[in-house]
Amino acid sequence: MHPQPLLEVDDLHVEFSTADGPVEAVAGVSFTVGAEETVAVVGESGSGKSVTALAVLKLLDGGRISRGQVRFDGKDLAPLNPKAMRKVRGNDIAMIFQDPMTSLDPLYSVGHQIVEALRLHRRVTKRAARERAVELLEQVGMPDPRRRLASYPHQLSGGQRQRVMIAIALACSPRLLIADEPTTALDVTIEAQILELLHDLQREYRTAMLLVTHDMGVVAETADRVVVFYGGQVVEQGPTAQVLRNPQHPYTAALLAAIPHPDSAKERQLPAIPGAVPALRDMPAGCRFNPRCAMAWEACTHEVPPLYELPGGRTSRCLLHREGGGSAVVAPPAPPLSAELAPAGPPLTTRKGI
Amino acid sequence: MASPATQVDPAATPGAPLMEVTDLVKHFPITKGLLRRTVGHVRAVDGVSFTIGAGETVGLVGESGSGKSTVARLVLRLLGPTAGSVKFDGREIAGLSQRELTPLRRNMQIVFQDPVSSFDPRMTISSVITEPLEAQGISSGKQARDRAAELLDLVGLSGRDLDKYPHQFSGGQAQRIGIARALATNPRLLVCDEAVSALDVSVQAQVLNLLRKLQVELGLSYLFIAHDLNVVRYISDRICVMYLGRIIEQGPAEAVMTDPQHPYTRTLAGAIAADPRTGGGTRRVVVRGEMPSPSNPPSGCPFHPRCPQAFDRCSTEVPAPLPAGEGGRTASCHLLDITPTNGKAVR
């Protein structure tokens, strides 16, 4: 274990104000990222994983941290003003997004944008910044880097744009890189290239990484530890290999089972999770996963499970652990193709107005 | 093969594929200047042949820009081909006019990636589903509404949802509605263009199960396009692998994925992440470079600039599909054509 974590997210709550009143997108999330460590935050849409990543950099559009702390190097970022935050962003903590086309400025050349990032945080001449930009493009595997300085984002492929984003993110050698679905928009062969690149650069720059993804395959390949989100909460966390091989929370187990993989038996259905991810405004009482959980019992519908500490530095938010833990969590078996399908679940709006 | 000159009655050709695509080509012109002179062509689809049998699922895989979505639009005649033949049930549809196509369209439907954006937000679910019935003159009014309720039931929703609006449904439910709409006219072929790609993992499995259930119950054929190779492998009977507008390998799904014969298929299969439940720690095979632009394809084999096994012949001669195993497997690679006269040891 690392003596002092680089990033400590501590009981984070994020609220968005909407026309129908405030909704809580993140409800008491805690986890840490150690120096040079890669931590994956994994979850489905609406789980709060991206909001958490944005909250670390205080890039919440229309939202605010309503409770809790985000400590970077021991210092809480939550109370910092916009000017102080701008010094942190790009310098100490950098971020890359799923769609580089929307985060790169279409009106400026690639070179201009890298130089701008460098000169924002470092006192360097334009000429030196340009030389450094060439160097960075070369490091991220851009073919013909010097000529590419003059290219505009639309002239590049999706993979090349993501390389430019990575070059900008690394320009000031940040200590923490937040990558929000960095390969989701890319083809599988390009995804493999970008993940390899991130891995290599992380070693070279000794950067920690907080990787936000929905893809368990990407988690398995890159992360030292994994934090599983559901309904704005952490439901399970621990070292990646242990969590993936032997999940302790029924949601983690069911999610892993639902992914088609090379050995999926074609004569069976995929073991789907019934229902849909709950809407923020419509969180079930008790355990937030209970309406979809194959192992839920009566207590799960009204009792909120705490995060139980398990051996091996793991935690899991499930009442199954109450009696001392370790009870076997198994994913539901795959039903034969002829069996009834998992129900689609009630429409999300049925509870409205009651 | 049936004589191409005769319009074949489907009943007269038992065992014939439901869809037969031969040498299909689609070039989009690149125009320039005020007069929109044609200065070149994007060779989006460059000679593609495959068949889909009744009740069969054919998976189409390839990177973005490989031409798979263009193929989908060509076989449905949402786009007119530059050349080549598309036979549906033995009947040539490549040259038909829009009017001649209308009665055929009820037999071929498409499910899109993002169902919500393909619905009119102001239409109720009932209108969304009955619209094709009315457009095809199959039914209207109460009869159409009853059919819509029946379809919702079939896809795991309920007739109570008929008067709701698209935004009241989650992504997975909306895709079920998209499938219900596509099934309204009792089609025999469903083209699924990234139909499960935008769904959450837990919901994606539900929709894949639904598609397979419907296939068994209704005897549907699917042309299934997706970039997730594990999904395609799970659902497909056969797989066609596309690269730069060509099918470079095809055959039974398991055989193609476990024992790929074309170097590109090998790199594609190698780029799939391992089953996460093994705990990870494995790295994928990383292939260098990116797919070139279809407006300026390389000479010879389209994959040769990235191919680790390329030799001189690959840069000059386009490889033809060669037999590559049981179940009608083919692969377009010169390595399969090594004979004492023209070959050289490469591996």
Side-chain angles (χ1 to χ4, degrees), chain A residues 16 28 44 106 112 116 128 196 200 277 281 301 323 330 350:
Chain A
F16 285 82
E44 296 181 275
H112 179 99
E116 188 188 28
E196 186 190 56
D200 293 347
V277 178
R281 201 176 283 289
T301 61
E323 300 305 323
V330 285
T350 45

Side-chain angles (χ1 to χ4, degrees), chain A residues 136-215:
Chain A
L136 281 163
L137 284 180
E138 190 158 16
Q139 269 183 352
V140 297
M142 184 71 93
D144 204 356
R146 196 168 292 275
R147 212 166 57 96
R148 278 294 171 212
L149 283 184
S151 298
Y152 288 84
H154 74 269
Q155 295 171 316
L156 305 177
S157 70
Q160 288 174 336
R161 277 181 219 136
Q162 199 54 289
R163 288 177 197 273
V164 171
M165 278 308 297
I166 294 170
I168 292 173
L170 291 175
C172 296
S173 313
R175 293 166 68 196
L176 174 66
L177 180 66
I178 301 178
D180 188 1
E181 304 271 10
T183 58
T184 303
L186 303 175
D187 282 310
V188 55
T189 57
I190 309 299
E191 171 178 85
Q193 291 177 1
I194 296 290
L195 289 178
E196 186 190 56
L197 174 69
L198 282 172
H199 179 80
D200 293 347
L201 291 174
Q202 210 187 341
R203 269 204 205 148
E204 195 174 326
Y205 283 80
R206 307 184 65 172
T207 305
M209 181 156 74
L210 177 62
L211 177 77
V212 178
T213 180
H214 70 282
D215 187 335

Side-chain angles (χ1 to χ4, degrees), chain B residues 91-167:
Chain B
R91 184 166 175 206
E92 180 60 65
I93 63 166
L96 294 188
S97 70
Q98 287 302 324
R99 235 180 97 176
E100 292 169 310
L101 277 168
T102 304
L104 279 170
R105 292 221 188 271
R106 70 176 64 176
N107 290 317
M108 308 180 265
Q109 292 287 325
I110 184 164
V111 181
F112 295 102
Q113 171 166 3
D114 181 2
V116 177
S117 70
S118 67
F119 301 155
D120 183 334
R122 289 164 304 179
M123 271 163 90
T124 61
I125 297 312
S126 171
S127 327
V128 164
I129 300 175
T130 56
E131 196 179 33
L133 291 171
E134 286 163 13
Q136 284 284 339
I138 295 172
S139 61
S140 61
K142 167 118 179 39
Q143 208 189 351
R145 197 178 151 87
D146 287 348
R147 171 78 177 136
E150 188 186 304
L151 286 160
L152 282 182
D153 210 45
L154 187 67
V155 298
L157 294 169
S158 131
R160 289 193 305 276
D161 297 325
L162 278 175
D163 294 316
K164 291 184 177 143
Y165 289 88
H167 74 266

Side-chain angles (χ1 to χ4, degrees), chain A residues 191-192 195 199 216-223 240, chain B residues 273-274 280-284:
Chain A
E191 171 178 85
L195 289 178
H199 179 80
M216 284 291 191
V218 172
V219 173
E221 205 173 334
T222 49
T240 304
Chain B
T282 47
R283 309 219 128 250
R284 306 182 220 181

